[in-house]
Amino acid sequence: MGRCCFYAAGTLSLLLLVTSVTLLVARVFQKAVDRTIEKNIVLRNGSETFDSWKQPPLPVYTQFYFFNVTNPEEILRGEIPRLEEVGPYTYREIRNKGDIQFGDNGTTISAVSNKAYVFVRNQSVGDSKIDLIRTLNIPAVTAMEWTHQRFLKEIIEALLKTYQQKVFVTHTVDHLLWGYKDEILSLIHTFKPEISPYFGLYYGKNGTNDGDYVFLTGEDNYLNFSKIVEWNGKTSLDWWTTDRCNMINGTDGDTFHPLITKDEVLYVFPSDFCRSLYITFSDFESVEGLPAFRYTVPEEILANTSDNAGFCVPTGNCLGSGVLNVSVCKNGAPIILSFPHFYQADEKFVSAIEGMHPNKDNHETFVDINPLTGVILRAAKRFQINVYVEKLDDFIETGNIRTMVFPVMHVNESVLIDKETASRLKSVMNTTLIVTNIPYIVMALGVFFGLVFTWLACRGQRSMDEGTADERAPLIRT
């Protein structure tokens, strides 16, 4: 019986160790988990993935920070602007996909991304309908830019003089965000009906969508999950001067494909940036006990390099690193985008304005993604809206103002996974962890039986040694 146990333990140990090594080398269980994830994370009607994509469960909050102008008269005399940051004014962002239609073979899906904003008073510094902000008169500055079109020049000059428009105006936060009827724009509207008589930094964005999208479902390849293939009927943009800069790449930033590796470069297309961006791995993070890869927008995105030359419109007109002129997609308004407080921008932009304090913690855009599922655990999309201003000889209203990129407002759009969703995701993670660790469990059993085998071998050897000594002892002791 003992000899039988001895050989059984040795054989079983050897088999278990060989099996565990084979499973580890072949990655059998890891591949099985990967195939299951690839199969399940697809935009398929009725699936949990589809429901989460259609109605995102995570709360999104958008914080608006305004730059209040404290020395308007001095600025018109040529002095450096002194700005005071006022905020946040926080809104709960309600998102969902609408007008959903599946394409042929289930590989594509069309939809619009609806957004609505609800003011959250207890997370804001004041009442958006009462608080006043002094800032640039963007409609007037834009109208001055439009005078480069000879047809409008004399009309706009007359309107500006008649209505005594100033470079700086004061409005409530609510008006600056969601819109007010502007005198100049209303009159220009009669000549050019495509110009809206209303102006607001987020005018037309509350309770609306940013256009029609066609996404890939991931049915054919998990790497294509939620990738954009078409926006507003176009497969590429037409604002920039090179095909590369006009490409529509990646997702809309709400979702990413599963099984992400830290060597990957992820692409997103935020329509408010009028271009595609990419994000790269930065660090390992943990959110609510869940592992995450932190991805950030690299400095090269807005760098003044040959790769970005196509974003300089007109050709060769580059303002410098850290800013993007998007006037071509904003009806000619001299809007310049950057990161808050000119983070990662040339020093000349920071030093031109008193009140800029760029820092990584508050002004960097990042997204923390669970690499197994591609689920966003935490993110902050941060950008700043600026206006290009300069002295115009034809408009005395501009005085002796310096040529500069003038900050108006910066935005922090953030999301954090809630505890309930995190708990559900942990259950999935724990299940996959158990499955992928089966080879190690088999190996541990192999080691255990190996120890049993060794113990039996030592015990048998000791028994043999004791038996030999007895045999050598004399039968009759004296």
Side-chain angles (χ1 to χ4, degrees), residues 15 30 157 296 367:
L15 285 174
Q30 184 64 57
E157 285 180 349
T296 58
V367 56

Side-chain angles (χ1 to χ4, degrees), residues 27-100:
R27 300 180 71 247
V28 173
F29 288 97
Q30 184 64 57
K31 288 179 180 178
V33 168
D34 290 352
R35 282 195 296 269
T36 301
I37 292 173
E38 291 172 14
K39 183 179 179 181
N40 289 332
I41 300 186
V42 174
L43 294 177
R44 193 180 295 118
N45 199 7
S47 68
E48 185 177 348
T49 299
F50 174 78
D51 292 340
S52 296
W53 174 81
K54 179 182 177 182
Q55 192 86 36
L58 303 186
V60 179
Y61 290 93
T62 301
Q63 297 174 310
F64 298 99
Y65 297 82
F66 289 85
F67 292 108
N68 188 58
V69 178
T70 63
N71 62 333
E73 299 301 325
E74 290 85 350
I75 294 172
L76 294 177
R77 291 200 295 266
E79 296 184 19
I80 292 178
R82 291 196 303 272
L83 306 184
E84 177 187 34
E85 183 179 283
V86 182
Y89 293 91
T90 304
Y91 290 77
R92 169 73 186 271
E93 193 174 318
I94 301 170
R95 299 182 175 191
N96 65 77
K97 297 290 194 298
D99 299 338
I100 298 172

Side-chain angles (χ1 to χ4, degrees), residues 326-374:
V326 293
S327 59
V328 291
C329 59
K330 303 296 182 183
N331 289 322
I335 301 297
I336 311 295
L337 296 182
S338 69
F339 296 118
H341 287 249
F342 297 116
Y343 174 68
Q344 293 184 337
D346 288 340
E347 176 59 28
K348 65 180 181 181
F349 298 114
V350 178
S351 59
I353 308 292
E354 188 176 317
M356 296 294 100
H357 307 288
N359 69 81
K360 179 179 180 179
D361 292 341
N362 296 327
H363 304 142
E364 181 182 54
T365 291
F366 69 87
V367 56
D368 294 337
I369 310 171
N370 177 254
L372 181 68
T373 61

